[in-house]
Every structure is written in structure tokens, then in C-alpha cells.
Amino acid sequence: MTRPDMTIEALKRILREGAGADEGVDLDADILDVEFAELGYDSLAMLETASRIEREYGIKLEDETTAAARTPRALLAVVNSR
Amino acid sequence: MNRVVFTGIGVTAPNGLGVEDFWAATLAGRSGIGPVRRFDATRYPARLAGEVPGFEAGEHLPSRLLSQTDHMTRLALVAADWALADAGVNPAELPEYGMGVITASSSGGFEFGQRELQNLWSKGGSHVSAYQSFAWFYAVNTGQISIRNGMRGPSGVLVTDQAGGLDAVANARRQIRKGIDLVVSGGVDGSICPWGWVAHMSTGRLSAVDDPDRAYLPFDADATGHVAGEGGAILVMEDEDAARRRGVERSYGELAGYAATMDPRPGGGEPGLRRAAELAIADAGLTPGDVDVVFADAAGVPELDRVEAEAITAVFGPRGVPVTAPKTMTGRLFSGAAPLDVAVALLSIRDGVIPPTINVNPAPGYGIDLVTGAPRHTRPRTALVLARGSGGFNAAVVVRATFPEGGPA
């Protein structure tokens, strides 16, 4: 069984649900290559985000893998390679 | 030694959101006590609470903070924003290591914590929010205020139940005397959720009365315990010279004296409240005759009311000083209560008026001059604030006008 790829829109939704959006950050803009840190997401926010992705997509993401994916594009690539 | 002054006040209270709302309600004797709305308390023995009305966190805070904060932390963050605005402080313009945050806490973010524990046992560990790591925690308000405002100076949290709010402002004074220019202090508390409620019930001091006007009656012959509430006050405290250097012309008043004592073991002799009051007055370099008003701890439990009345009459003589308990309008706010009383004391000094204790018909045996019915316009300049915490904690502070005699108000 194949599952659909995770889209940037799905990632934005998960970010909003788990960690919210910071003041002055427009998640609706093109953020594919903007670093998570620049979007106001610290390591804990990424931990929460990864945990929600795991639950939703039924995959396992190692902490180091998530930490190494510094942009939405990189994180989507990791998720969609599973 | 420089004076340590209060330059900003932020209030989130059951009878008012924001200082002026709250102060108007307090002078008018308007209560914020009513049936619990934050959860269904109908099957619990205590069904009333003092809940902060009309607070929409999303109107004040970014969703980035909403996802990681308990209700009481949101109240604290907004109170801190308001206190800093009131003080005219833009934290970004001041040295980050010159500003500290020292608040009081009694329980932490219990509503958040209960939700995540329920996730843990009903769905499993992967469903627990990463933010549970700190959102429940005693120090969370201090940490969040510090992060939001870029304040990296000495910071901490005082956990001595309801006495904690006074211990916190005293600790802030200590840091300022050691050279920190500004400390955000005070406390905002609240755990009106089933988990918090059960913890409150364990003290045996929650009133089971359902009439909001009859449930919390400190110093009344009909006292049956207290109503629990949420909220409190965040206070900006500064070195007086440092405040002047950034252009502050007038402060609310000075933290002139402080003392804390512990009760002896049960049956082990006189409780420590009288000594705390005397030591705080002495620490201010004053005598009891200088004190114009006492803000009582007001337990609402007959035995504890008697202890407090005896302490007050021992220090001031029978009916020797006006005593008031505006917390009859809010319920007891735990670590938020005493900072709110300090805020009320400062506003009383500002406006020359003592707010009333509501609903109480003072039992004659206590021998205290309780201000009931209407505010008393006596132009107080010096106030003693008393607070007691479950477990034997006593604390007292003296706050004083900084304007000259015959000045404003």
C-alpha cells in the first residue's frame, strides 16, 4: 500500500496545529527553503512537529534526521522517502 | 541603599481585566465569584470559583505561544505585557542581562498537564505534546515572560503557596539591590480544572456554599472556607535611580519592608504571622503607628481568621488600624493573591482610598477594624500586606508612597 506524499500544505497545517505560528511570520508565503529557525520554530517545536508527522503518516523519524532537515523542503524529502 | 520602586502593574483578575477595570470593580465592591465555568464542577463539593472574564488569549498572544501554554501562563504573559507597557518599558531597548524575572507559583499549568496526562493514558506516549516538558512546570511563567521579553538577568520562581507572591517581590528587591536595574515580578496563578480542583479540595478549606455572596466570608462568624480563583498581578520593579535615568518621573510606591517566617509544628506555640508583620515593619524602618492600612491574608477558615486577627491586634492594638480583604471579590488566587494585594495597596496609595471587604459581617470577637460596605477615603501612604501559605509559610511586605506628604491623592 502506498500513501500519498506529504505536501507543503500538509506540513504547514501540522506546524500550525502543533506549534502555532509566530508573530510576523507568514506561513502562507513561499517557505519551502526558509529555515525552520527563521520561521520561529525551535528544536522543541520540531520535536512536536515530527511526532505529529509520525502519527499521521505512520512512519518513524529519528531525532537526528529531523534535526538535520533545516527547511520544509528538506523535511518533506525525508518524509516522502519513507 | 537605593529604593526599589514599583513602576508598572498588569492585572488579570476575576473582577477585572486590566488595572483600571479591576480597580474600578474593586472600589465599587463588584465580585468576580460565580459558578465554575472552566469545567463541569456540579458533582464536586465546591462549585464556585473566581474566573477571569472575557479573556481571549488569541487577541493578545501569537498562536506560537498558545500551542505551548496553559491558561494561567497566558494570563501571566498578558499581565506582563500590560505591566511593562504601564511602566513605559520597551525591553528591546534595555540591556538583556540587566532585566530579571522572578514570579511566584503554587501549582504550575495543571489544565495543560491534565490534558496531556489524559493523552498519555488514553492514546499513548506519542500523543503527548512536546510542550508538556515545561508547560505544567512551576517556573513556566518566569521562563515564558523571560523569553518573550528577552530578559536574561537573574530569574527564578518562589513556591510557598499563597505567601509566594510576597516572597517573589522580596527576592526581586534583593536582586535589584545587588545591581539589577529591573525585575518583572508578582504572580499569576490558576488551576480551575478537575486535577487542580482535587488538589485544592485536599486542603479541606474550599467552601461548599453555592451562594457567591455567602461562600467566602473571612472574619465573619459564618466563615466556611474560601473560594478558589485564578489570575493575579505582574509588577515591574526597578532601582529608583535606574528608573529615573530612563525618564520615569513617578512610581506607584516603594517596597520598603519584607519578612518571612515559618509556623512552628502544630501545637508548637504561636504561629509566625505576627512576627512576620513586625519584622517587615522594622525592615522598613517604621513602627506600627506608621502603617495606614493592612491587607489581610483572609483565610476564611475560623481558626486561621482568629490567628490573623490576633496577630493584627497584637501589633496594632484592638481596632488599631483599618484592615481590608478585597480578595473577597476574587476568591483566593494562590500565588497570584498577594501580588494582586500589593497592586491594590499601590493603587490605594495612589488614589488615597481603601477598598472595601465585601459580603462580610465582621464577628465582634476579632477586634479588628475591617473596612466593609464602602471604600474609606483616608489617604493611606503606607500599607502592610500579609499572606500565608499552606504548610506554615508567612510573609509580610510594607509598601510606601514615594511622593511627598500632602502630595498626589
Side-chain angles (χ1 to χ4, degrees), chain A residues 19 21 40 42 44-45 48 51 55, chain B residues 63-64 67 126-127 129-131 134:
Chain A
D42 53 19
L44 208 52
E48 175 64 20
S51 157
R55 272 162 22 207
Chain B
S63 63
R64 187 76 187 79
S67 63
S126 66
H127 290 260
S129 165
Y131 295 110
F134 58 68

Side-chain angles (χ1 to χ4, degrees), chain A residues 11-71:
Chain A
L11 176 57
K12 286 177 179 178
R13 173 180 52 76
I14 289 172
L15 284 166
R16 279 201 181 92
E17 286 170 359
D22 217 343
E23 282 159 316
V25 170
D26 179 13
L27 284 190
D28 292 327
D30 179 9
I31 57 162
L32 262 178
D33 295 306
V34 184
E35 294 206 355
F36 287 114
E38 225 172 292
L39 295 169
Y41 298 116
D42 53 19
S43 58
L44 208 52
M46 295 317 297
L47 198 65
E48 175 64 20
T49 301
S51 157
R52 284 169 181 261
I53 293 171
E54 286 178 340
R55 272 162 22 207
E56 200 163 310
Y57 289 85
I59 58 173
K60 187 81 196 123
L61 296 168
E62 300 73 31
D63 289 352
E64 310 79 59
T65 318
T66 318
R70 302 165 78 92
T71 64

Side-chain angles (χ1 to χ4, degrees), chain B residues 115-197:
Chain B
R115 187 183 68 222
E116 297 309 323
L117 287 176
Q118 283 175 320
N119 285 338
L120 176 65
W121 78 60
S122 64
K123 298 176 192 162
S126 66
H127 290 260
V128 176
S129 165
Y131 295 110
Q132 169 71 355
S133 56
F134 58 68
W136 70 274
F137 184 47
Y138 291 116
V140 66
N141 291 358
T142 287
Q144 290 285 21
I145 292 169
S146 158
I147 293 166
R148 178 164 169 83
N149 297 292
M151 299 175 163
R152 292 169 172 264
S155 295
V157 61
L158 279 292
V159 183
T160 52
D161 189 32
Q162 188 135 326
L166 299 185
D167 295 328
V169 296
N171 199 263
R173 182 179 70 160
R174 190 175 309 141
Q175 294 299 343
I176 291 168
R177 282 176 169 174
K178 284 159 89 173
I180 296 299
D181 282 346
L182 180 152
V183 176
V184 173
S185 190
V188 170
D189 215 334
S191 45
I192 305 177
C193 62
W195 186 23
W197 218 239

